[in-house]
Amino acid sequence: MRKIAASIMCADQLHLGDELKRLESAGVELLHCDVMDGVYVNNLALGPEYLEIVRNNTEIPLDIHLATITPLKYIDMFGPVKPEYISFHVEVADDVTEVIRKIRSYNVKPSIAINPETPIEAIYPYLNDVEMVLMMTVNPGFAGQKFQTDVLQKLRDLKAKLAGKVHVPLIEVDGNINKETVGLMRDCLPDIYVLGTSALFHDRDKTSYSERLVHIWSDVEKHV
């Protein structure tokens, strides 16, 4: 069963309550929450107080992506928000096992994130220890970037590595995910698709979020 995660930073922040209701009605399964520290990426976003408000006003589980350095510090900040997942970047973790242990200490599912330019082999030692892999298809930091097609081979390699394993973490993709880029993944389909401005939060037409998700899913189902 493949799932949709809506990138909450791309929603209309002036009408966030209405946005959450629309996303619930559309059947969105996760709210993808990008936490940015202005150091690891040149942007700032989504503090714990904001996400606490979001969590208290929706039934949709939170999927927190730490685009930060010093992940241990941020896990202590965001673990009490009780998300479903916390993703941290393999590129910045001094001790990946310690970071995973810290996430689990909050009864949160650990997820390991990897940037487009990082070799996929960097996460192989930890696949048995995480519940999800967040594969970035753009460099983290800003919406509206071009999908990096080099990631497609990394997806294929990861799925081949996981084939036949007892423990198989979910694979999530994030970065300019839309009808066209989903089509590019026809032979390496992930489990969770993060949708932002490109496919969900736009004003190009008058369709509902439900209709936009059907549009995405129809393309996914053609390639299953």
Side-chain angles (χ1 to χ4, degrees), residues 23 25 42 55 63 77 92 100 103 107 110 115 129 136 152 156 175 189 200-201:
L23 293 170
S25 297
N42 292 322
R55 186 180 66 82
D63 165 31
M77 293 171 65
V92 298
I100 292 170
I103 294 172
N107 293 316
N115 284 337
D129 303 317
M136 296 301 300
L152 297 173
R156 296 185 194 102
L189 287 175
L200 190 60
F201 299 106

Side-chain angles (χ1 to χ4, degrees), residues 56-186:
N56 290 337
N57 284 276
T58 184
E59 297 298 318
I60 305 175
L62 303 189
D63 165 31
I64 294 180
H65 169 206
L66 299 179
T68 69
I69 61 170
T70 59
L72 289 172
K73 178 179 76 171
Y74 287 93
I75 291 163
D76 281 331
M77 293 171 65
F78 289 90
V81 178
K82 298 300 181 186
E84 183 84 2
Y85 298 97
I86 290 180
S87 297
F88 67 97
H89 275 267
V90 68
E91 295 88 356
V92 298
D94 294 327
D95 186 335
V96 171
T97 300
E98 183 183 8
V99 176
I100 292 170
R101 187 182 302 119
K102 171 70 78 170
I103 294 172
R104 288 198 185 276
S105 75
Y106 285 99
N107 293 316
V108 176
K109 297 174 184 175
S111 168
I112 193 163
I114 183 168
N115 284 337
E117 68 276 7
T118 303
I120 191 64
E121 291 81 7
I123 65 170
Y124 282 175
Y126 314 107
L127 294 177
N128 288 331
D129 303 317
V130 297
E131 304 304 320
M132 188 167 73
V133 172
L134 171 56
M135 184 81 73
M136 296 301 300
T137 53
V138 302
N139 288 311
F142 294 91
Q145 298 181 62
K146 184 179 179 181
F147 182 95
Q148 297 195 25
T149 56
D150 291 349
V151 175
L152 297 173
Q153 186 58 50
K154 291 172 63 177
L155 275 171
R156 296 185 194 102
D157 292 343
L158 177 58
K159 290 180 80 76
K161 181 71 174 179
L162 293 173
K165 286 188 174 293
V166 174
H167 177 75
V168 179
L170 299 175
I171 301 173
E172 181 178 49
V173 287
D174 179 16
N176 198 16
I177 305 301
N178 54 45
K179 181 180 176 65
E180 289 71 31
T181 55
V182 164
L184 296 175
M185 295 183 276
R186 63 177 58 87

Side-chain angles (χ1 to χ4, degrees), residues 8 13 15-25 28 31 33 48-62 81-82:
I8 196 64
Q13 300 301 306
H15 303 92
L16 188 58
D18 291 338
E19 291 280 62
L20 292 172
K21 291 176 183 176
R22 294 174 67 193
L23 293 170
E24 287 180 354
S25 297
V28 165
L31 292 178
C33 309
E49 295 85 1
Y50 172 92
L51 294 184
E52 186 77 36
I53 292 170
V54 171
R55 186 180 66 82
N56 290 337
N57 284 276
T58 184
E59 297 298 318
I60 305 175
L62 303 189
V81 178
K82 298 300 181 186

